[in-house]
Amino acid sequence: MEAELRGTPTSIPVSNPNLLQTPRDSLSGALRGRLGSLDGACIEKLLLHCASALESNDVTLAQQVMWVLNNVASPHGDPNQRLTSWFLRALIARASSLCPTAMPFAATGLARARPMTVTELAGYVDLTPWHRFGFSASNGAILKAVQDRPKVHVLDFGITHCMQWPTLIDELAKRPEGPPSLRITVPSSRPPVPPSLNISIEEVGLRLANFAKFRDIPFEFHVIKANSANSGDGMDAALRFRQELASGQLDPSSLGLRDDETLVLNCQSWLRYLPEESGGIARDPSSRDGFLEFIRGLGPRIVTVTDEDSDLDSPSLTSRIMACFNYLWIPFDALETLLPKDSPQKAEYEADVGQKIENIIGFEGGRRIERSESGVRFVQRMKRARFQSIPFDEETVKEVKLLLDEHASGWGMKKEEDMLVLTWKGHSSVFTTAWVPDGFDE
């Protein structure tokens, strides 16, 4: 198991080992020989027992396991302890919905995600290559695709508030043949997930325009507005996002496409927030496959997609917890090498990951929007949707490697047939890909 392989502390003291003595043979058997200390593999077993109890509505057993986890978790401890704090918080929330009076403890001391300034967001993005990896690889593929093209239109679907584009603007300004005119279009709606920004997307566009002007690039920025009729007060944020996205923002007539422009589609950490097909006769453009069908119909010169390389969409709570625990230790472990334990920046970064854990574990149905799939599964999805992969050229791969050299030595890269994969201590974390529709005619 990955939890046994990680480079984190070998054990976590438990303040009261007797709490491990439950009347359930399965739990005591799982913990036999581990009394007095809990490593990552044992914590994982506890989480799975708790998930199994919750799935069978056994609140008593779930409460017993959470008492143990409560003595392990610490928001100021080592990576395993901090990660456990967020899992415990999510499990408490889920269990409280089954039996509100049966949870006499709570995970405390955890930071909450808050809106950032532009400067803080830049620092957030620069801290690890989690986002910059995809930025760098995608920009390299885009630069190659629009070489010698005088007019470029980027449709940007992403969660990092256009932080990718200053670097692309800078590179376009250096083109030997001269820079193109650049137009960027973004939807006004975005998934209700961190990082959030304390200024509007329109203000982001103004700042990009100023930067493009400084680099002598003709620039336009367009925000596609949602139909406010579908954005009722009190509507769940996840549902509102999907309805707003489908309401006019995925309509070719709203995109202002121009025949003389080279169209680029960019999706950074976006597709995992779109639901699977609802089962209706007509495909919903805000569903995952419906969205791919929609963008294919636009005839883009290139489609770039970056996302987290993990399957977190199982209908089974136990499967999701196992996948989540064996994946989201990566940012906690990576941050341990970068920032001191009492760093506010570390706490806020981990709070973003914690919100993801809470959604994966605490919600079902339409409210559970964290549904990432592995790169391998995504590649299969794109090929079913009649896209062909575009290999990243050696210059792009070189640039990505130089980027990783700026970060801790644990970060690495795998070059696979249809994608590049960011790794931490050999474990896959983020994949990035580039595509063109089958039969695309330049």
Side-chain angles (χ1 to χ4, degrees), residues 218-389:
F219 183 81
E220 294 180 48
F221 190 82
H222 180 219
V223 180
I224 316 167
K225 297 294 185 179
N227 184 343
S228 59
N230 287 324
S231 305
D233 291 339
M235 183 183 294
D236 179 80
L239 177 60
R240 182 167 59 250
F241 158 67
R242 288 194 290 268
Q243 289 198 359
E244 288 178 349
L245 188 64
S247 179
Q249 296 189 81
L250 294 181
D251 181 346
S253 64
S254 70
L255 302 178
L257 302 182
R258 301 169 187 169
D259 291 339
D260 61 344
E261 291 178 328
T262 299
L263 182 62
V264 173
L265 260 295
N266 184 73
C267 302
Q268 294 284 334
S269 302
W270 183 269
L271 285 172
R272 70 173 179 268
Y273 297 112
L274 304 183
E276 291 288 357
E277 198 62 43
S278 61
I281 296 176
R283 277 192 169 167
D284 178 356
S286 66
S287 70
R288 221 168 282 194
D289 288 338
F291 179 80
L292 295 179
E293 185 176 287
F294 165 76
I295 63 175
R296 186 182 185 282
L298 299 177
R301 175 67 183 85
I302 188 173
V303 178
T304 54
V305 180
T306 300
D307 221 314
E308 297 180 347
D309 195 7
S310 182
D311 288 316
L312 299 176
D313 62 346
S314 172
S316 163
L317 178 62
T318 54
S319 296
R320 291 205 306 273
I321 282 184
M322 182 170 64
C324 188
F325 189 75
N326 282 317
Y327 177 66
L328 290 178
W329 69 273
I330 294 174
F332 282 81
D333 192 52
L335 289 172
E336 187 77 356
T337 68
L338 292 172
L339 300 169
K341 292 186 185 300
D342 58 353
S343 166
Q345 189 179 17
K346 174 189 279 189
E348 291 181 358
Y349 200 106
E350 290 181 351
D352 290 357
V353 183
Q355 181 170 321
K356 184 191 303 290
I357 293 170
E358 289 180 304
N359 187 262
I360 292 168
I361 296 173
F363 296 101
E364 299 294 345
R367 296 186 69 193
R368 177 162 59 84
I369 62 171
E370 290 285 351
R371 297 174 180 266
S372 63
E373 61 185 355
S374 66
V376 170
R377 284 180 57 196
F378 173 75
V379 165
Q380 295 169 348
R381 182 185 294 276
M382 289 295 286
K383 291 181 177 179
R384 288 197 306 269
R386 296 185 296 154
F387 285 87
Q388 294 179 359
S389 65

Side-chain angles (χ1 to χ4, degrees), residues 36-51:
S37 67
L38 295 179
D39 60 14
C42 193
I43 292 172
E44 183 182 9
K45 288 185 175 71
L46 281 168
L47 293 172
L48 294 178
H49 277 291
C50 191

